[in-house]
Amino acid sequence: SLSRRASLRRPRAAMAPPPPAEGREAPPPLQYSLLLQYLVGERRQPRAWDPTALGGIPSPPKSEEQKMMERVMESCAFKAALACVGGFVLGGAFGVFTAGIDTNVGFDPKDPYRTPTAKEVLKDMGQRGISYAKNFAIVGAMFSCTECLVESHRGKSDWKNSVISGCITGGAIGFR
């Protein structure tokens, strides 16, 4: 029983590296720091990600019409027009919504107890919707144009372009 406890406390011989055979040199010890430099350190070389190497779906080459459509859709004019239309639609919806929940629609200060007619409410909703739509369209077009110009000037497409163009657009609106 005592010899068994003593053997449990001693390191096992199986954990130690085996002694070199006669006539052979001992292999150099594995240095984890060198291995880590190749795996996660400065010497790591990232592999290029190629979806076709992983069995991705091969795509046929693009035709000239497809290339032309891509150029049109990536142009500054198309992006500005799309932002203008999107801003107009969103602003119109927002204006109609805010006019619908506004309690002062059709309010007459001369007769505060008069209930506005449906025609007056709809007229105010339309006016406010058009007003918001024009403002949102202008802001959308300004932001899109400045973002495209900043991206062209910097030669990069990253989050900084949006921040810079937002500052320029906000400054131009505030300057007015």
Side-chain angles (χ1 to χ4, degrees), residues 76 146-162 164:
C76 290
T146 56
E147 185 178 31
C148 197
L149 291 172
V150 167
E151 185 176 331
S152 299
H153 178 71
R154 289 185 67 226
K156 294 179 185 178
S157 180
D158 58 2
W159 62 272
K160 294 177 184 176
N161 295 341
S162 299
I164 293 169

Side-chain angles (χ1 to χ4, degrees), residues 22-42:
E22 289 186 30
R24 287 188 176 171
E25 290 182 18
L30 184 60
Q31 296 180 353
Y32 290 106
S33 61
L34 293 177
L35 183 64
L36 286 175
Q37 284 180 352
Y38 282 101
L39 293 176
V40 293
E42 298 168 354

Side-chain angles (χ1 to χ4, degrees), residues 6-93:
S7 67
L8 289 176
R9 291 183 190 147
R10 279 186 280 149
R12 295 185 180 181
M15 293 183 147
E22 289 186 30
R24 287 188 176 171
E25 290 182 18
L30 184 60
Q31 296 180 353
Y32 290 106
S33 61
L34 293 177
L35 183 64
L36 286 175
Q37 284 180 352
Y38 282 101
L39 293 176
V40 293
E42 298 168 354
R43 294 184 185 172
R44 179 178 182 266
Q45 296 177 356
R47 291 184 295 178
W49 186 73
D50 185 15
T52 57
L54 300 175
I57 301 171
S59 59
K62 295 179 182 175
S63 67
E64 289 301 317
E65 292 87 16
Q66 288 174 328
K67 290 178 185 177
M68 183 184 70
M69 283 304 295
E70 280 184 2
R71 283 192 299 271
V72 167
M73 293 181 78
E74 291 177 3
S75 69
C76 290
F78 181 80
K79 289 179 182 179
L82 189 65
C84 188
V85 170
F88 189 85
V89 170
L90 185 67

